[in-house]
Amino acid sequence: APAGSQAVSACECPFGAPRIFENQTMCLCDRSEALTDAQKCVSCSENHVVCSPGADRLATAPLKDGYIRLKEPSEEIFKCLDPKHCRNSRCVPGRTGPPSLCTACSPQYRESNKICVECKSVSSQQRFSVGLGCTATLVIMAAIAWTLRRHAPQRSPRSECLLQLITAQLMALLQLAQLWTVLGGLTPVD
């Protein structure tokens, strides 16, 4: 500033313009600009950041939805491959990044119709209940078949063959249900 100047506007700044901010005179970029590490004011909208009044730095300013940084702080800003996967400078819940730019599902999530959904764990009690229900159903069906076989009036050769086939199938299904129950009990729950 020239000697004897009293106006803030007479000050020279290496970037932006002199302004009063929080009762102090300092060099600031315009409201629509952010400061780079090279001490230059750049457009917020062209760099996909949300500027607020004050001394926003490009490397730390909040990003518009659909954009992400690979590391924080950084002036390098990337557009997410699918913009709805990036929000508030981060990946949406269920997505992982930043190296993948939020394209991959997070651990404990799986992709279904291009949406990451949380993996539900089945407790051992639920597995036991399902196995017990299957076993009970098969036992009841076997008891009905046995009862019908004992109390049925004269059977034709065709019905006798069908009854033997059903009995054999029920025994195989009973063994399968028992195997499912045992395997369900051995499966670890996270």
Side-chain angles (χ1 to χ4, degrees):
S5 297
Q6 293 184 355
V8 171
S9 59
C11 295
E12 293 182 24
C13 286
F15 61 88
R19 292 192 174 76
I20 297 175
F21 181 72
E22 296 180 357
N23 296 327
Q24 291 185 350
T25 302
M26 53 178 54
C27 297
L28 296 174
C29 295
D30 287 336
R31 289 178 181 251
S32 62
E33 294 179 327
L35 181 64
T36 66
D37 290 339
Q39 302 294 306
K40 289 178 55 181
C41 293
V42 294
S43 167
C44 291
S45 61
E46 289 176 14
N47 287 282
H48 315 291
V49 295
V50 179
C51 289
S52 59
D56 269 330
R57 297 192 63 84
L58 182 61
T60 57
L63 299 177
K64 291 182 179 178
D65 286 350
Y67 293 87
I68 195 164
R69 291 181 176 96
L70 296 184
K71 61 180 180 169
E72 295 281 347
S74 174
E75 292 184 0
E76 287 186 293
I77 299 168
F78 299 90
K79 183 175 183 174
C80 287
L81 298 176
D82 190 336
K84 67 180 175 264
H85 294 165
C86 304
R87 189 175 339 135
N88 299 329
S89 304
R90 291 189 167 78
C91 298
V92 296
R95 293 280 172 179
T96 187
S100 66
L101 297 177
C102 304
T103 57
C105 292
S106 299
Q108 301 302 317
Y109 283 80
R110 63 179 175 81
E111 190 163 332
S112 175
N113 297 325
K114 297 185 179 181
I115 298 172
C116 292
V117 292
E118 190 172 5
C119 297
K120 303 285 184 194
S121 64
V122 179
S123 70
S124 58
Q125 183 177 1
Q126 289 172 321
R127 282 191 288 256
F128 178 75
S129 299
V130 169
L132 186 62
C134 290
T135 304
T137 302
L138 290 173
V139 167
I140 291 170
M141 290 175 67
I144 291 171
W146 183 74
T147 303
L148 289 175
R149 184 176 183 187
R150 288 192 70 195
H151 300 303
Q154 272 188 343
R155 291 181 285 254
S156 68
R158 181 177 176 192
S159 64
E160 184 67 34
C161 182
L162 182 62
L163 190 58
Q164 287 177 1
L165 181 64
I166 289 173
T167 304
Q169 294 298 322
L170 284 175
M171 292 305 182
L173 287 174
L174 177 62
Q175 290 174 352
L176 184 61
Q178 290 171 338
L179 179 63
W180 284 341
T181 304
V182 169
L183 290 175
L186 295 175
T187 305
V189 178
D190 294 331

